Every structure is written in structure tokens, then in C-alpha cells.
């Protein structure tokens, strides 16, 4: 994360940049300087997850009650000394950082493969050096902090920009995180979470002013340095040869510094002694080998400019006063650079807009002012559309069309005018059909995505709206609904809903899944039909339903997915008596009885409307758990009765366990299948967060928080016991009332599954009918499938792709299926 090589450089080569500070003392000093003010620390929560997750066990799906206790202690410690905490979470992945996101996910896949190899070899959890955060940790941390009464926000762009902006604008005590980008932003002080001692409240402050002194730079030079070294926007290899040229000409090489340290010093030296000589006279592309990466580089530098900040590297020498249309140009002096810059008066906005001359075309070019950071960036203006975009000639039509430059693949894409909306949309060429399709068109299904202009975003803001170019096109046209979705997103009350409605693009990071186990599907496929129905609910209309919905781009990590492009997922029509209710009805209406309609919609998303009667008799919080278990057992035909016993027993026993008892729980060994089952259930709980928020919150969020329903080690213990054939009495620890509820919950799940022609059978009875054919763990050639799947609900998980698992199943014969049905009836009747 952050600037390549800077973390090591600071710690090893410039330790004086790291200063030991005490938060209690800093808070007292802040109060003396700002009487009546509350010392506030803005927390980059994504950087802190590893620090917060203190439980010893992490492999089994998460020790959620222990984790909640850890968060409570963290908050309590800061509150005790009068410090307010404001937490920020990443709300979406910016397109400029997608490549880096993919690289990390693929790297995580390799780490996960090593983890499962270790488990199979040693039958125990690996050491902390192989630690991998439990699935869903970021999502559930948001809700945990809100439950603890903390201000928790979800970003509309990369969180580090919003964290830095919040810290600057609210005069915060500092930023708590672990990202060297905070050394580059000109904002409040930056503190390290990894060095924090919660007992003493001591930590390390990384001083950017001392960093500048060590490098001979000013604060305004740091964004340029970061981009030349490489960061999450600029690939490290882009300027590798440039950096080595700087090193070869650097005359003050430090022998006690490593190569990376000397490279940083050499690049900083080049900025201060060479580039600064031409600052304001030459453009960056005239001084640096930007080539086709010019737009990306400018974007990278601008990404560090907070609201109200400017970069002297974006100014250039004026060429004279000119007049364009009815705009009057004059000369303006920039107080920092001491140079004059031509400006023009915009007749509509009454604001002065700077101008410059493009040395290639000899045409006057507007300098566009970023609406938040006030940064001036050169752009081209189309006199007809008044949008600042370059032009090119379409080789087919021979007509000039505007171009959009995608800085990451370094390709330019023509824009076309939509015949109905008269809006310009991107054209892309589908690699197989060679047809030019507007972005938003699904080439696989030939479905055109109805793209809507976000009414909150003005056309003049499309050129540059912050470090990430904001979506000018949304998937939903209703501004009221979009505003509600945005509010829930920012307040960290929903999951993925606003992403679907604003950009039609979602992502899900790695899960602890065994790529070698062909018997259990990836969670990405198991819950995809649910997501497809949610997409239909969020993007459909009352007339066309799912048939008129645009496809959604999914960046979900699963085995065999190289993540070169997103999966294009088509919404799936829901079946609700009386039709699908509108979002206005579900989200805004206060009509009596509407909660029942919201619940009906939620069950329809899981395709479990037929199970409503069974679920109505289940008390909270087990209603949500039963809904999830019914869906799982219907969808995944390799789950057996022993699995169901383990899921139910651990949820019941969890009620009577203290945090200390859960922490002291010891396992005989670790089973790789149980690890993946724990992950599958937790990802199901995150899916419930999505569905519940999309349907207007028919259930209380606390009903499906993992610290109320699931404990990884406890589930693992019950799984191992159930595999050994332990009775229900033993599984619920001889607790009579739990035993009664155990049989009641089991009956609800089994009856609901039987309605879907899915009997849940014991693995022991399965083996007795097919002795010697199951094979060992991970040997898919000998795996058996009961063959149950549902009609009318979309693709079964085995048929989903791309990158679908080659399961190598042997399907049951008619006699075999009859035997299984007989066994299932026998067990569900008990």
C-alpha cells in the first residue's frame, strides 16, 4: 500500500522521521490550544483490521465475539482520555487502482493455497506469519463499530483521500493508519497503528516535514516524488529506467543506504536540482518521459491534492492574452509561483478560468479547475458539446468523434451519441464479434444497459472531479432513491447497494476456500443467484422487470478466475405474488403492514417464498440463520445432515458461552472442509446484509451479525464431533432447552428443503449405500453428487462460469436416487 519503497526507507534510512508520541499528551495539548474542542483522530479502518484482530484462531471462520470485545476495548481506551474516533472504510475500488487490486487478490490466492496445503499436511492452524484475515471482517467491523456508538463512514472513492480530507478540514489531532500515502498528503499528522501500544497509548508519528528536510524537497513536491517512485495508481515499473538514470547521475550515494534508499534520494535530488529549474516554464511531459502515460501521471499527482490545495507543477509560462468566443482573458498572478497565468471570465459561472497554450497544436487551452481541490489541469474544449475531450477519426465512419482516454490500459475509446437520450457514451469493441458496443451493453446477452445521468453531477464537472473521475452515468434515474442509497452507503448502513445503483460494478475479495476441493463450490457462485435477484430489485422497473435491467460487473475472487475482466452478471427475475414492489415503497413508505412485504421480498431474493410459514415460527436471531441454512442446503447438494447439526448446535451453544470460554476452546485438529464451510456461512451473512438493506431492512441488522450467530472454533468443534457421530444431546452439551430448540430448528430446515425436493441425508448412510466410492478429501474423481438442483432459479453453481470448477461428478442412477430419497424421508421424519 502507498508509495513503493518509502516505508522501508523511512524506517531504515531516516529513523529520525519517526517520533514517539503519546496520544493522551497530544490530546491535552490540543485541548489547551483549542478550548472547547474535542481531540479527534480519523482512523483508516482498512489499515487497522490486522491490528484489531487479536484472537489466536483465525482459520475457522472468525472468532467474532472475541473480535467484538477487542474493538470495544480499543474504543474504550481512547474514550477514556477524551479522544473522539472517526472511522473510514473503503466504499469502492477506483478504476485507476483496479489493476493493483487485482494483483493483490491474485497474490492472496497463492497465500491461501499455501494455507490449505499446511492444514492438510499438519492438521493445525498455521503460524501468525501466514495470517489471513477472516472473510467479511471489514464489512462486519463497520457494524460492530456502529453498535459501539462510533461515527463510522464508508467512502465514495478511495478511503485514504477522504481520510486525509476529513483530517485537514476538521482540524483533527491526526490520522491513524498504516499507509505511506499519508506521508504524501499535506494534511494533519500521521500516526502508525502497527506501533500503537494500547496500554500506554504510545505510538510513532511519521513527520512529513522532516521527510522533506531529509530529501531537500518541499511539501508540494511529495506528490511528484510519490508518482515517480510508483504507487497504487502509477505502476512501479513505469518509471524504472528513469529512476536508474537518476541514480547513475546522483553524486551523493550513501554507502550505508540500500539500493532502494539511494534511488529515493536520487529521484528527490533530481526533482530539487533539475526539475525545479524549469518549474512553471515547462510542462511535466517536457521534463519527464511520460509518453503515453501523461494523463495517468497527471491524475496520479492530482490524487494527492486535497480541497483547496494546488500544485506548482501544474502551472506553466503564459503565452499572452487571447480571446475565445465571448470570454475575456486577462493575466492573473499566482501568489505561490510568482508567475502570471492567463484567465478567462466564464459568462455563466461568472468565474475566471485560467488558460494556457498547447505547444503542439498552438491552440489556446483551458485550465480546468478541480471543484474540490481547486487544481488547475489543461483540457480541450469541444465547441459544440462544451465538454473537454480530445477528438479522433473513426476508421469506419470517417467521421471525427470525441475520444476518452483510459489511462490504465493506455487505450482511447470513441464516444457515440445515444439516439434517444442524446448523451454521449463510450464505445468499445467486443473482441469476438468486432462490433462496437456502448459501454453498458452486455455482448453475451446483447442487452443494452439503460444508462442514466446522475442528476447530482453537472456536465461541467465531468472532466475531473477529485482524485478519481466520478461516475457521470448511474444505473438508476430516480434521484430520490439514489440519494437514499447514497446516504445509507456513506453512513455504513448497507453493503454494495449504492455500488450497484451508481456504477453497476461490485467486488468481493478473497475467501478462505480450497481450490483443490471440488466438492464445495466457491461462495461467489453459491450466492450469485441471490445477488442476481437483488440486481433485479435495484435496477428493474415495474414494466420490464429483470428483462430490461443492465448487466452488473462483478469482480469476485474464485478459483480459476484470472480477474482480467469482470463477470457480466444478468439480473434474475423474482417471483413475488402481486409483483415486485418498488424501491420507493420498500424504502420510503410508512404504510402499515409493509414490514411483511419487505420480508416477502427478502425471502424472494433467496427464492424461499415457500418457506415463509416455517420461518415465521422461528424466534430471532435464528430466523435469519435458518433462512441462510435452507438456502445453502438447497443450493449446495454436497452438504449433509452432520453439517446441519454442526451449524445449529454451535449457534445454540454460542448463547451460553463467555468470551473467555470461547478463547480457551481447544480443537483436536483442523479440518480443511470445516474451514471452508465456516467461510461459506460467513459469506452468507454478508449476503444477508446486502439483501436486508436492499429490501428496506425487514430484519434487525443484529439478527445476522456473526458475534450473535457464529464462532469459528465452536463450529469447528461441533463439526468434528458431528463427524464422529455424536448425538444431539452431546452436541448441545446436555442442555435440555437447547436440545428442544435444536430439534425445532432442524425440523424447520429439513421440512423447507423437502419442499424443494432436497432431502438432507446423513453422510454415514450415504457411505453405507456407496462404500469405497467417496475417496479422500480433495479427490474429486471419487466425489458423489446427490444430483439435486432447482429448476427455474438460474444456473446451478456447477454450471456457472467463467472459470467454473471442473467437478468431475458421477451422477446417481435411478435406483441410487430412490435410495437416497428413502433415507432422507426417514431422517426428516424423526
Amino acid at each position: 500500500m502507498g508509495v513503493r519503497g518509502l516505508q522501508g526507507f523511512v524506517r531504515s534510512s531516516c529513523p529520525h522521521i519517526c517520533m514517539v508520541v503519546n496520544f493522551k499528551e497530544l490530546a491535552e495539548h490540543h485541548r489547551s490550544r483549542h478550548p472547547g474542542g474535542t481531540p479527534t483522530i480519523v482512523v483508516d479502518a482498512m489499515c487497522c483490521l490486522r491490528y484489531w484482530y487479536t484472537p489466536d484462531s483465525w482459520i475457522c471462520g472468525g472468532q467474532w465475539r472475541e473480535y467484538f470485545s477487542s474493538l470495544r476495548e480499543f474504543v474504550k481506551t481512547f474514550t477514556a482520555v477524551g479522544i473522539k474516533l472517526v472511522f473510514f472504510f473503503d466504499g469502492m475500488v477506483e478504476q485507476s487502482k483496479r489493476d493493483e487490486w487485482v494483483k493483490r487478490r491474485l497474490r492472496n490466492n497463492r497465500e491461501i493455497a499455501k494455507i490449505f496445503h499446511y492444514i492438510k499436511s499438519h492438521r493445525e492452524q498455521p503460524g501468525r506469519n501466514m495470517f489471513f484475515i477472516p472473510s467479511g471482517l471489514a464489512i462486519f467491523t463497520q457494524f460492530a463499530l456502529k453498535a459501539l456508538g462510533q461515527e463510522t463512514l464508508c467512502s465514495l472513492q478511495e478511503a485514504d483521500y477522504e481520510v486525509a480530507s476529513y483530517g485537514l478540514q476538521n482540524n483533527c489531532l491526526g490520522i491513524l493508519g498504516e499507509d505511506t500515502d499519508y506521508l504524501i498528503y499535506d494534511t494533519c499528522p500521521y500516526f502508525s497503528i502497527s506501533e500503537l501500544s494500547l496500554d500506554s497509548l504510545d505510538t510513532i508519528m511519521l513527520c512529513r516535514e522532516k521527510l522533506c528536510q531529509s530529501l531537500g524537497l518541499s511539501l508540494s513536491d511529495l506528490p511528484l516524488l510519490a508518482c515517480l517512485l510508483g504507487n497504487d495508481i502509477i505502476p512501479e515499473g513505469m518509471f524504472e529506467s528513469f529512476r536508474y538514470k537518476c541514480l547513475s547521475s546522483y553524486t551523493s550515494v550513501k554507502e550505508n543506504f540500500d539500493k532502494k534508499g539511494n534511488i529515493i534520494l536520487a529521484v528527490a535530488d533530481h526533482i530539487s536540482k533539475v526539475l525545479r529549474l524549469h518549474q512553471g516554464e515547462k510542462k511535466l511531459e517536457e521534463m519527464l518521459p511520460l509518453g503515453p502515460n501523461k494523463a495517468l501521471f497527471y491524475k496520479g499527482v492530482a490524487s494527492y491534492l486535497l480541497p483547496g490545495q494546488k500544485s506548482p507543477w501544474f502551472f506553466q509560462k503564459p503565452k499572452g492574452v487571447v480571446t475565445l468566443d465571448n470570454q475575456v482573458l486577462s493575466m492573473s498572478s499566482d501568489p505561490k509561483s510568482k508567475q502570471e497565468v492567463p484567465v478567462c471570465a466564464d459568462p455563466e459561472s461568472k468565474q475566471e478560468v485560467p488558460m494556457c497554450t498547447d505547444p503542439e497544436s498552438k491552440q489556446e487551452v483551458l485550465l480546468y479547475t478541480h471543484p474540490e481541490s481547486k487544481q488547475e489541469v489543461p483540457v480541450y474544449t469541444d465547441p459544440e458539446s462544451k465538454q473537454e475531450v480530445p477528438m479522433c477519426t473513426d476508421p469506419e465512419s470517417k467521421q471525427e468523434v470525441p475520444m476518452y482516454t483510459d489511462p490504465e490500459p493506455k487505450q482511447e475509446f470513441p464516444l457515440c451519441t445515444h439516439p434517444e437520450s442524446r448523451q454521449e457514451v463510450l464505445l468499445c469493441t467486443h473482441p469476438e464479434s468486432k462490433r462496437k458496443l456502448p459501454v453498458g451493453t452486455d455482448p453475451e446477452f446483447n442487452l443494452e444497459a439503460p444508462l442514466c445521468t446522475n442528476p447530482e453531477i453537472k456536465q461541467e464537472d465531468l472532466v475531473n472531479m477529485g482524485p478519481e473521475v466520478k461516475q457521470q452515468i448511474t444505473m438508476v434515474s430516480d434521484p430520490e432513491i439514489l440519494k437514499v442509497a447514497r446516504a445509507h452507503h456513506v453512513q455504513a448502513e448497507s453493503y454494495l447497494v449504492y455500488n450497484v445503483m451508481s456504477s453497476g460494478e461490485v467486488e468481493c475479495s478473497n475467501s478462505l476456500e480450497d481450490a483443490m476441493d471440488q466438492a464445495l463450490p466457491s461462495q461467489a457462485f453459491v450466492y450469485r443467484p441471490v445477488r442476481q435477484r437483488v440486481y433485479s430489485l435495484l435496477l428493474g422497473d415495474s414494466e420490464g422487470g429483470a428483462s430490461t435491467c443492465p448487466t452488473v460487473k462483478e469482480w469476485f475472487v474464485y478459483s480459476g478466475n484470472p480477474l482480467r475482466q469482470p463477470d457480466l452478471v444478468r439480473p434474475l427475475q423474482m417471483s413475488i405474488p402481486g409483483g415486485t414492489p418498488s424501491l420507493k415503497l420498500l424504502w420510503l413508505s410508512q404504510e402499515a403492514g409493509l414490514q411483511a412485504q419487505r420480508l416477502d421480498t427478502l425471502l424472494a431474493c433467496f427464492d424461499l417464498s415457500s418457506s415463509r410459514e416455517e420461518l415465521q415460527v422461528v424466534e430471532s436471531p435464528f430466523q435469519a440463520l435458518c433462512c441462510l441454512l435452507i438456502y445453502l442446503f438447497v443450493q449446495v447438494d454436497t452438504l449433509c445432515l452432520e453439517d446441519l447439526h454442526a451449524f445449529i448446535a454451535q449457534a445454540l451453544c454460542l448463547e451460553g458461552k463467555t468470551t473467555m470460554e470461547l478463547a480457551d476452546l481447544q480443537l483436536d485438529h483442523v479440518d480443511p472442509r470445516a474451514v471452508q464451510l465456516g467461510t461459506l456461512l460467513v459469506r452468507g451473512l454478508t449476503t444477508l446484509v446486502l439483501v436486508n438493506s436492499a429490501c428496506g431492512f425487514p430484519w434487525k441488522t443484529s439478527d445476522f451479525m456473526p458475534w450473535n450467530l457464529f464462532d469459528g472454533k465452536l463450529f469447528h468443534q461441533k463439526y468434528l464431533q458431528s463427524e464422529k457421530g455424536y448425538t444431539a444431546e452431546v452436541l448441545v452439551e446436555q442442555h435440555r432447552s437447547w436440545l428442544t430448540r435444536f430439534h425445532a430448528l432442524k425440523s424447520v430446515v429439513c421440512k423447507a428443503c423437502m419442499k424443494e425436493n432436497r432431502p438432507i441425508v446423513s453422510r454415514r448412510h450415504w457411505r453405507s449405500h456407496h462404500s469405497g466410492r467417496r475417496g479422500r478429501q480433495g479427490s474429486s474423481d471419487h466425489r458423489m453428487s446427490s444430483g439435486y438442483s432447482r429448476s427455474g432459479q438460474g444456473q446451478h453453481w456447477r454450471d456457472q462460469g467463467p472459470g467454473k470448477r471442473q467437478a468431475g461428478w458421477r451422477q446417481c442412477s435411478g435406483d441410487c436416487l430412490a435410495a437416497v430419497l428413502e433415507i432422507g424421508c426417514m431422517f426428516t421424519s424423526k
Side-chain angles (χ1 to χ4, degrees):
M1 298 175 65
V3 184
R4 303 296 181 262
L6 189 56
Q7 182 79 16
F9 173 79
V10 167
R11 296 298 174 93
S12 62
S13 304
C14 297
H16 65 282
I17 294 172
C18 305
M19 306 168 57
V20 178
V21 295
N22 181 270
F23 278 127
K24 184 177 180 181
E25 295 174 0
L26 290 175
E28 292 172 353
H29 180 66
H30 186 276
R31 277 188 286 266
S32 65
R33 292 182 58 192
H34 307 279
T38 302
T40 302
I41 295 176
V42 55
V43 183
D44 186 339
M46 302 301 289
C47 295
C48 301
L49 295 178
R50 287 175 173 267
Y51 176 90
W52 289 331
Y53 192 86
T54 57
D56 292 332
S57 175
W58 48 269
I59 198 73
C60 300
Q63 303 306 110
W64 294 99
R65 193 164 289 181
E66 293 177 63
Y67 180 62
F68 189 88
S69 178
S70 174
L71 287 175
R72 182 169 50 214
E73 187 64 26
F74 181 87
V75 170
K76 180 181 176 182
T77 302
F78 281 91
T79 303
V81 296
I83 295 177
K84 176 186 176 182
L85 300 174
V86 178
F87 298 88
F88 274 84
F89 288 81
D90 277 331
M92 56 187 61
V93 177
E94 296 178 1
Q95 292 305 314
S96 59
K97 298 189 177 184
R98 178 64 70 187
D99 284 349
E100 185 63 29
W101 184 90
V102 168
K103 287 179 184 177
R104 291 174 183 169
R105 304 292 84 74
L106 296 178
R107 184 169 62 243
N108 288 345
N109 278 345
R110 295 189 290 271
E111 296 301 316
I112 291 172
K114 293 178 183 178
I115 290 171
F116 275 99
H117 178 75
Y118 185 95
I119 294 172
K120 293 172 186 177
S121 301
H122 299 82
R123 303 183 75 200
E124 65 181 14
Q125 175 180 279
R128 194 76 178 187
N129 62 312
M130 296 180 71
F131 172 74
F132 198 87
I133 63 172
S135 301
L137 191 68
I139 301 164
F140 290 122
T141 302
Q142 298 177 27
F143 291 95
L145 291 170
K146 291 182 74 68
L148 292 169
Q150 298 303 294
E151 184 175 350
T152 308
L153 302 170
C154 200
S155 70
L156 292 169
Q157 57 198 64
E158 196 75 14
D160 56 5
Y161 184 86
E162 295 194 16
V163 167
S165 297
Y166 187 96
L168 178 66
Q169 294 173 341
N170 293 276
N171 193 29
C172 289
L173 191 64
I175 293 169
L176 187 59
E178 202 68 32
D179 189 337
T180 48
D181 278 333
Y182 294 125
L183 268 175
I184 307 301
Y185 287 111
D186 188 2
T187 182
C188 59
Y190 161 43
F191 306 108
S192 169
I193 182 65
S194 66
E195 299 292 338
L196 174 64
S197 169
L198 206 56
D199 293 332
S200 64
L201 281 181
D202 287 341
T203 189
I204 295 296
M205 180 180 77
L206 292 90
C207 181
R208 62 181 65 88
E209 286 78 13
K210 289 192 175 183
L211 174 64
C212 287
Q213 291 174 9
S214 300
L215 298 177
L217 300 176
S218 63
L219 288 174
S220 60
D221 296 329
L222 292 179
L224 185 62
L225 174 70
C227 291
L228 290 174
L229 295 177
N231 53 25
D232 289 348
I233 295 178
I234 309 297
E236 187 175 8
M238 185 175 291
F239 294 101
E240 185 173 10
S241 60
F242 169 79
R243 291 193 295 271
Y244 279 102
K245 286 181 181 178
C246 292
L247 183 61
S248 64
S249 60
Y250 184 50
T251 58
S252 305
V253 174
K254 304 291 193 298
E255 293 183 0
N256 58 329
F257 284 15
D258 59 15
K259 188 175 182 180
K260 288 186 177 179
N262 276 305
I263 286 177
I264 292 175
L265 290 174
V267 173
D269 185 71
H270 185 82
I271 292 173
S272 63
K273 294 181 179 178
V274 179
L275 299 186
R276 195 174 288 160
L277 294 175
H278 305 286
Q279 190 181 64
E281 297 179 358
K282 292 183 179 180
K283 293 196 234 180
L284 285 175
E285 58 266 32
E286 296 178 87
M287 299 185 286
L288 294 170
L290 302 187
N293 305 307
K294 179 175 69 172
L296 181 61
F297 189 82
Y298 270 98
K299 186 175 186 178
V301 175
S303 69
Y304 290 107
L305 302 178
L306 302 179
Q309 295 179 351
K310 295 181 179 182
S311 171
W313 296 102
F314 282 174
F315 291 112
Q316 61 184 50
K317 192 174 181 179
K319 302 296 182 181
V321 180
V322 296
T323 302
L324 179 64
D325 295 336
N326 295 323
Q327 298 171 342
V328 181
L329 304 188
S330 60
M331 304 300 291
S332 173
S333 297
D334 178 70
K336 293 184 179 180
S337 63
K338 306 299 183 181
Q339 70 174 70
E340 292 183 324
V341 180
V343 298
C344 71
D346 187 336
E348 295 183 6
S349 64
K350 308 299 183 183
Q351 296 178 345
E352 292 186 334
V353 183
M355 300 286 293
C356 70
T357 302
D358 179 34
E360 297 179 2
S361 64
K362 307 301 181 184
Q363 294 179 348
E364 298 294 338
V365 180
L366 285 173
L367 285 175
Y368 178 79
T369 302
H370 181 298
E372 293 182 356
S373 68
K374 311 302 181 185
Q375 178 59 50
E376 293 164 336
V377 183
V379 294
Y380 295 94
T381 305
D382 176 7
E384 294 185 4
S385 65
K386 295 185 179 179
Q387 293 182 346
E388 294 80 355
V389 291
M391 303 291 291
C392 78
T393 302
D394 184 357
E396 295 183 8
S397 64
K398 307 299 182 184
Q399 295 179 346
E400 284 197 338
V401 293
M403 293 292 295
Y404 165 75
T405 302
D406 186 358
E408 294 187 335
K410 308 177 188 65
Q411 294 178 338
E412 290 186 323
F413 301 97
L415 292 162
C416 73
T417 303
H418 192 280
E420 296 180 4
S421 64
R422 301 297 179 187
Q423 295 177 346
E424 290 187 324
V425 297
L426 293 174
L427 281 175
C428 67
T429 303
H430 188 242
E432 296 181 6
S433 64
K434 307 299 183 184
R435 290 181 298 135
K436 288 186 176 178
L437 302 171
V439 169
T441 301
D442 180 3
E444 182 178 354
F445 303 109
N446 197 27
L447 295 176
E448 286 194 4
L451 303 174
C452 311
T453 301
N454 186 344
E456 298 180 4
I457 299 176
K458 299 177 181 180
Q459 286 294 313
E460 58 266 27
D461 293 340
L462 299 185
V463 178
N464 193 352
M465 291 186 62
E468 175 62 51
V469 178
K470 292 293 185 292
Q471 287 282 347
Q472 69 270 28
I473 301 296
T474 62
M475 309 293 278
V476 176
S477 58
D478 190 327
E480 185 178 17
I481 286 298
L482 202 60
K483 186 176 181 180
V484 173
R486 186 180 188 275
H488 285 310
H489 174 93
V490 171
Q491 295 301 317
E493 297 169 347
S494 64
Y495 170 55
L496 296 184
V497 170
Y498 182 69
N499 305 64
V500 172
M501 301 179 74
S502 62
S503 66
E505 190 166 11
V506 294
E507 55 274 323
C508 180
S509 189
N510 306 77
S511 303
L512 275 177
E513 297 176 337
D514 184 5
M516 303 304 293
D517 184 357
Q518 305 295 328
L520 286 175
S522 169
Q523 64 88 19
F525 293 141
V526 171
Y527 298 110
R528 177 174 284 179
V530 180
R531 297 194 302 274
Q532 287 177 283
R533 296 186 188 95
V534 172
Y535 301 157
S536 174
L537 176 66
L538 297 177
L539 304 178
D541 54 58
S542 57
E543 298 177 359
S547 61
T548 61
C549 290
T551 55
V552 174
K553 298 176 182 178
E554 286 192 347
W555 295 90
F556 275 59
V557 182
Y558 54 85
S559 176
N561 184 7
L563 294 172
R564 294 191 186 97
Q565 62 274 323
D567 292 339
L568 300 178
V569 179
R570 179 167 53 181
L572 194 61
Q573 184 65 48
M574 289 190 294
S575 177
I576 304 178
T580 304
S582 68
L583 292 180
K584 278 193 173 181
L585 188 66
L586 292 173
W587 292 6
L588 303 176
S589 177
Q590 302 296 322
E591 294 179 16
L594 205 48
Q595 276 299 90
Q597 193 168 3
R598 294 184 178 111
L599 179 57
D600 287 339
T601 308
L602 181 146
L603 294 177
C605 288
F606 286 95
D607 201 18
L608 293 180
S609 298
S610 61
S611 303
R612 195 184 202 284
E613 184 178 342
E614 286 81 7
L615 289 170
Q616 274 184 323
V617 301
V618 180
E619 75 273 21
S620 173
F622 299 104
Q623 194 176 52
L625 177 65
C626 285
C627 171
L628 187 55
L629 289 177
I630 294 167
Y631 177 82
L632 266 179
F633 277 78
V634 170
Q635 187 75 7
V636 183
D637 46 18
T638 53
L639 297 179
C640 63
L641 196 61
E642 287 79 8
D643 301 329
L644 179 62
H645 287 173
F647 280 127
I648 295 176
Q650 70 85 29
L652 290 169
C653 294
L654 182 60
E655 286 187 321
K657 301 288 184 184
T658 66
T659 302
M660 188 63 66
E661 288 174 329
L662 293 170
D664 292 338
L665 197 64
Q666 299 296 315
L667 300 175
D668 294 336
H669 66 274
V670 173
D671 184 284
R673 184 174 185 273
V675 170
Q676 191 160 340
L677 286 180
T679 294
L680 198 56
L681 184 80
V682 172
R683 284 300 188 190
L685 295 177
T686 64
T687 304
L688 266 172
V689 177
L690 164 65
V691 177
N692 194 57
S693 54
C695 296
F697 304 96
W699 281 337
K700 293 188 298 183
T701 305
S702 59
D703 286 351
F704 41 87
M705 290 297 105
W707 45 88
N708 294 327
L709 287 174
F710 180 80
D711 179 88
K713 272 199 301 184
L714 186 59
F715 166 72
H716 218 92
Q717 182 192 65
K718 301 306 176 185
Y719 176 88
L720 296 176
Q721 292 174 349
S722 186
E723 279 284 291
K724 293 177 181 178
Y726 284 25
T727 63
E729 289 84 353
V730 176
L731 290 177
V732 297
E733 303 172 4
Q734 310 296 335
H735 199 291
R736 189 168 297 179
S737 65
W738 290 351
L739 181 62
T740 302
R741 294 163 76 189
F742 175 90
H743 286 299
L745 296 176
K746 173 185 172 182
S747 176
V748 166
V749 176
C750 288
K751 286 181 179 178
C753 288
M754 282 299 293
K755 282 186 177 181
E756 305 296 339
N757 195 30
R758 166 55 164 113
I760 305 175
V761 300
S762 167
R763 184 176 293 119
R764 288 177 288 119
H765 281 267
W766 180 267
R767 290 169 182 164
S768 68
H769 280 265
H770 311 283
S771 60
R773 296 196 50 194
R774 182 170 179 267
R776 67 179 183 274
Q777 178 75 13
S779 179
S780 63
D781 291 339
H782 300 283
R783 290 288 181 161
M784 298 297 301
S785 167
S786 56
Y788 303 117
S789 61
R790 307 178 70 179
S791 60
Q793 64 160 346
Q795 288 179 300
H796 190 272
W797 62 263
R798 292 196 199 100
D799 302 322
Q800 297 186 58
K804 65 180 182 180
R805 300 180 179 209
Q806 302 299 320
W809 300 86
R810 295 179 180 175
Q811 298 297 330
C812 296
S813 64
D815 293 338
C816 166
L817 183 58
V820 174
L821 288 171
E822 181 181 353
I823 296 169
C825 292
M826 176 179 67
F827 269 82
T828 53
S829 64
K830 286 185 178 182

